[in-house]
Amino acid sequence: MKRTAYRGVSLKEAEVVVNQQRYDRNESRDFDNGVAARSLFGSGIYLINDVELAAQYAFCHAEAENEEQAVVLKQKISFNHPFILNYQYSESRLRRTAINWKYGDTGFLEEQLKENKSEISKQIGEAIKEYLLHHSYDGIVYHINEEIIYYIIYDQDSQIDNIEIDLAFNINDLKVKNIL
């Protein structure tokens, strides 16, 4: 399965990614304002099919990094055996299956959840990734709805090609126009 996917980043990150043709940063990230982005499905590269939504992510990343320029990167992605999430097989069902596969009884995780939600979220994400890789899946195609699809890539070196800048913009221009 081959697709075109997008990722929103700051200009500094975009320059490095395009030059290296690979991402250095996974999805998990702590922003200065206390907001955190977590990898719900384990470490990997998280992409999306929608340019406008990728531009919103780009705006957030540029703003968090105190940069004026935001960039949407476009790339070709491929899956040999993706796990499909949609209305028939939900995110919560995958989470339960992976936790039961890895830990058996989920009481262990429920107790830990009370202690450190961020750390347990990371453990659950990695358990999902481990479960999927163990069952020969190379990533996830997550149909949020009929229009929005997230892609989670677990082996970017073999699954992502031709990373290029699709769109660049100044976030201050959008702030003035109150667009994003």
Side-chain angles (χ1 to χ4, degrees):
M1 169 190 297
K2 294 191 179 287
R3 302 268 175 99
T4 298
Y6 304 92
R7 182 169 172 146
V9 298
S10 66
L11 178 61
K12 274 187 205 169
E13 183 176 354
E15 290 170 342
V16 171
V17 169
V18 170
N19 275 343
Q20 295 179 358
Q21 286 297 294
R22 93 179 311 283
Y23 291 92
D24 288 332
R25 187 174 55 79
N26 282 317
E27 197 62 23
S28 287
R29 177 149 190 215
D30 293 318
F31 293 98
D32 291 337
N33 62 3
V35 173
R38 296 289 170 240
S39 302
L40 295 176
F41 304 106
S43 57
I45 304 302
Y46 288 59
L47 304 162
I48 194 161
N49 71 323
D50 186 86
V51 177
E52 288 181 34
L53 193 50
Q56 291 176 23
Y57 284 119
F59 182 98
C60 293
H61 285 282
E63 188 174 53
E65 295 171 21
N66 293 316
E67 286 194 41
E68 291 184 12
Q69 297 296 314
V71 174
V72 173
L73 295 174
K74 175 181 168 181
Q75 53 262 294
K76 299 294 181 193
I77 60 171
S78 62
F79 293 95
N80 289 321
H81 188 219
F83 189 88
I84 308 296
L85 280 178
N86 56 27
Y87 66 93
Q88 292 178 331
Y89 199 103
S90 69
E91 177 183 333
S92 60
R93 184 174 169 193
L94 173 59
R95 186 180 309 107
R96 276 192 312 274
T97 301
I99 289 169
N100 287 335
W101 172 82
K102 172 105 177 165
Y103 299 106
D105 180 18
T106 59
F108 159 77
L109 290 176
E110 290 170 5
E111 280 304 311
Q112 283 195 347
L113 228 172
K114 295 174 187 172
E115 299 297 318
N116 187 344
K117 290 182 181 183
S118 175
E119 184 57 35
I120 197 66
S121 174
K122 186 177 178 180
Q123 284 181 5
I124 291 170
E126 288 306 313
I128 291 170
K129 177 181 177 179
E130 192 177 324
Y131 170 81
L132 292 174
L133 291 175
H134 178 78
H135 289 89
S136 301
Y137 294 103
D138 57 354
I140 299 172
V141 176
Y142 188 178
H143 295 264
I144 301 295
N145 58 38
E146 291 182 21
E147 298 170 2
I148 304 296
I149 303 170
Y150 279 101
Y151 305 103
I152 296 86
I153 302 287
Y154 289 136
D155 182 8
Q156 72 170 311
D157 293 328
S158 67
Q159 292 180 271
I160 299 177
D161 290 321
N162 196 28
I163 304 170
E164 60 187 32
I165 293 175
D166 188 63
L167 171 71
F169 58 93
N170 186 307
I171 67 170
N172 293 325
D173 292 344
L174 298 179
K175 286 179 181 177
V176 169
K177 296 176 185 174
N178 210 12
I179 293 175
L180 286 178

